Amino acid sequence: GLLGEGDSRKYSSDNNFLNINTSDITAKNIAGFSDINFNLPSNAANGSTVLTLTEGKTDLSGVHVAVNAHGDSALEKDSRFNLFVNRNGFNGVGNGEMQSSADVDEEDGSIKKLGDMTYTGTMAKGASFDYDLELALSGDGNSFEAIVGERHVSEERVMPPVQNFNLDPIRLPIEEEVFRDVEETTDTSGATSTNVVLEHHGYEVFGNVGGGHMKTKTGNGSYIKSNMVSYDFGFARNFKRDSSVLTFAPVFEYGHGSFDTHLSSGVDGSGNQTYLAGGVVVRSINHSGFYYESGVRAGQNKTKYSSKTFELNGQPAHVSYNVDAPVVTGHLRLGNQWRLGKNHLLDVYGFYIYTRQGSSNTDLNLGDHYKFDSSNCGRFRTGYRLTSRLSSISRLYTGLAFQYDNNSNSSATCDGIKTVSVG
């Protein structure tokens, strides 16, 4: 452990880890550790010193050293900084001359040797980049130095906030406007005639609830499994015309869902999304049953993501972020409805809906600054829907449809480098 003045205890170094999560600290000495892990904070920079030791030589024989840095630290290629400074020198890392390193693990070439100690020859910076790393003893033997080399983009690690909500056009109560009640009347001569009466309402409040489970394959073995539920409601205003009914409806929508993700790099994650939007839908329905509709919605998609399966130089790491992204959706719908008996209505339709999720920025908990690019989704569906009127206030819906989705890639950049592309 960390040794204080007069401390002569003996330590076992088997599986005894020292994690250093700050810099510019001072101790008398250290001993008895099998692994020393440096998790450098954001203020670590070129020329800085992490740990200064003041009493006796420091023995690093049999110790393994690993170095990681916060994502927003100033450490870059060619940075040099001191992991240890001890004016009394070090044992186990050479005779005071600059040491060269060599691979000591044929299966993992990143493990290198310096004297009687080993170290990991890469430095992870945040969750996005790895740098080549060399450790060396200074010429005077009093400083244990780290030299940062070339930067490499890590394997894909962070799942972008892809669209998990299956946004469909909000369904207005259109069946109410085109259901026809057949009334038979008798005139003064005793003859009967049939009159078609169009149900019509001036104002109407409506709402819908939907939910489901979806698995989205995002390429290269990556996927998202999501569960979601959405609620929408609005206020429909109907304007009766000679041969049609025009419906104008402000609409509001709220959705919430949870998801689990898997990246081809082996990283698993989970999170949740919340979607809130408002807009307007306009529809015109002819008395013959033909209708057309268009609408637009705009809102915000909030995503929380977390993964506990990261490893940075063999050390477990928790990665998370929160991000808000604007969402705009527009759709066009065409269809025709036929009356099948008094209480059944067949609707044959087709619609196209386009959704754009805007770009967004966030900082990971490890310090990486990410920009998530915008993504687009186009969806075409055609099918039929049979509505059966059970009573004046209840309906039974059945139907079948074919749907085609055209999704764009969802990608992310960090420090100007594309680190993830999913789609």
Side-chain angles (χ1 to χ4, degrees):
L2 294 173
L3 299 182
E5 184 177 357
D7 197 334
S8 59
R9 290 174 292 173
K10 300 297 183 181
Y11 294 88
S12 170
S13 62
D14 294 338
N15 298 318
N16 194 11
F17 292 78
L18 173 62
N19 295 314
I20 299 176
N21 301 319
T22 185
S23 64
D24 195 21
I25 55 178
T26 300
K28 294 182 183 300
N29 217 324
I30 57 175
F33 295 105
S34 61
D35 293 78
I36 301 177
N37 301 316
F38 291 89
N39 302 305
L40 305 179
S42 57
N43 62 354
N46 185 42
S48 62
T49 297
V50 181
L51 177 61
T52 300
L53 304 170
T54 60
E55 293 189 3
K57 285 191 174 185
T58 300
D59 190 357
L60 296 177
S61 301
V63 174
H64 181 77
V65 174
V67 182
N68 295 319
H70 202 256
D72 62 353
S73 71
L75 297 175
E76 298 287 351
K77 180 184 176 182
D78 297 328
S79 293
R80 302 173 72 102
F81 57 96
N82 297 317
L83 292 179
F84 306 106
V85 171
N86 188 340
R87 293 184 179 179
N88 301 300
F90 298 87
N91 291 326
V93 290
N95 57 6
E97 298 178 357
M98 189 73 75
Q99 304 293 305
S100 61
S101 58
D103 294 348
V104 296
D105 190 330
E106 294 181 358
E107 295 183 358
D108 187 355
S110 67
I111 304 301
K112 298 183 177 182
K113 187 174 183 180
L114 182 60
D116 294 326
M117 61 154 281
T118 59
Y119 70 94
T120 304
T122 57
M123 178 188 76
K125 184 177 178 182
S128 308
F129 299 107
D130 291 329
Y131 287 79
D132 294 333
L133 187 71
E134 292 289 339
L135 300 185
L137 193 65
S138 63
D140 59 11
N142 295 334
S143 299
F144 193 65
E145 295 182 321
I147 303 99
V148 182
E150 295 288 341
R151 182 175 73 173
H152 309 280
V153 178
S154 303
E155 295 182 36
E156 60 176 16
R157 290 176 170 174
V158 178
M159 175 65 72
V162 299
Q163 300 164 8
N164 282 325
F165 285 103
N166 188 22
L167 298 176
D168 281 346
I170 291 178
R171 179 166 290 278
L172 301 182
I174 61 172
E175 292 79 12
E176 300 300 320
E177 285 96 35
V178 297
F179 260 125
R180 297 172 175 86
D181 283 335
V182 178
E183 295 183 351
E184 290 189 350
T185 60
T186 303
D187 59 20
T188 55
S189 65
T192 61
S193 62
T194 300
N195 298 319
V196 177
V197 179
L198 177 67
E199 293 184 9
H200 175 73
H201 308 280
Y203 290 93
E204 188 165 1
V205 178
F206 65 92
N208 301 288
V209 179
H213 172 80
M214 181 169 60
K215 180 178 180 179
T216 304
K217 295 181 179 180
T218 56
N220 301 321
S222 302
Y223 61 82
I224 304 171
K225 292 181 179 180
S226 57
N227 297 288
M228 63 205 75
V229 61
S230 61
Y231 310 86
D232 60 71
F233 68 95
F235 306 90
R237 176 68 168 97
N238 299 323
F239 300 92
K240 187 176 182 180
R241 298 184 291 184
D242 292 339
S243 60
S244 64
V245 175
L246 179 67
T247 303
F248 176 84
V251 294
F252 305 92
E253 186 172 20
Y254 170 80
H256 181 78
S258 61
F259 61 88
D260 296 302
T261 68
H262 175 77
L263 291 171
S264 58
S265 60
V267 174
D268 295 322
S270 62
N272 60 73
Q273 286 187 312
T274 300
Y275 169 73
L276 183 65
V280 63
V281 178
V282 178
R283 172 183 285 134
S284 178
I285 307 173
N286 294 335
H287 295 343
S288 64
F290 175 76
Y291 66 89
Y292 56 92
E293 169 193 296
S294 63
V296 63
R297 284 168 284 166
Q300 201 78 1
N301 192 6
K302 299 178 181 291
T303 301
K304 293 182 179 180
Y305 172 84
S306 176
S307 174
K308 296 182 179 180
T309 62
F310 275 58
E311 284 194 0
L312 303 180
N313 279 335
Q315 302 178 56
H318 175 219
V319 175
S320 63
Y321 69 78
N322 298 335
V323 65
D324 296 351
V327 179
V328 177
T329 298
H331 76 272
L332 178 65
R333 180 176 186 141
L334 299 174
N336 202 91
Q337 297 180 340
W338 290 272
R339 178 71 174 270
L340 304 178
K342 183 178 180 179
N343 293 313
H344 303 282
L345 189 72
L346 178 64
D347 179 7
V348 178
Y349 64 89
F351 75 73
Y352 178 78
I353 184 168
Y354 171 83
T355 301
R356 178 178 176 84
Q357 184 166 279
S359 61
S360 54
N361 297 280
T362 190
D363 291 321
L364 273 61
N365 63 315
L366 295 182
D368 313 53
H369 179 71
Y370 265 77
K371 178 181 179 181
F372 296 108
D373 297 336
S374 59
S375 59
N376 307 309
C377 173
R379 179 180 300 120
F380 172 76
R381 182 186 298 172
T382 182
Y384 76 89
R385 189 184 196 194
L386 180 64
T387 302
S388 300
R389 182 168 56 173
L390 305 180
S391 69
S392 61
I393 60 172
S394 62
R395 305 289 185 266
L396 175 65
Y397 303 107
T398 58
L400 183 67
F402 168 80
Q403 179 171 294
Y404 173 77
D405 288 14
N406 181 22
N407 298 319
S408 70
N409 290 343
S410 184
S411 58
T413 58
C414 181
D415 197 21
I417 303 298
K418 181 174 290 188
T419 60
V420 182
S421 181
V422 177

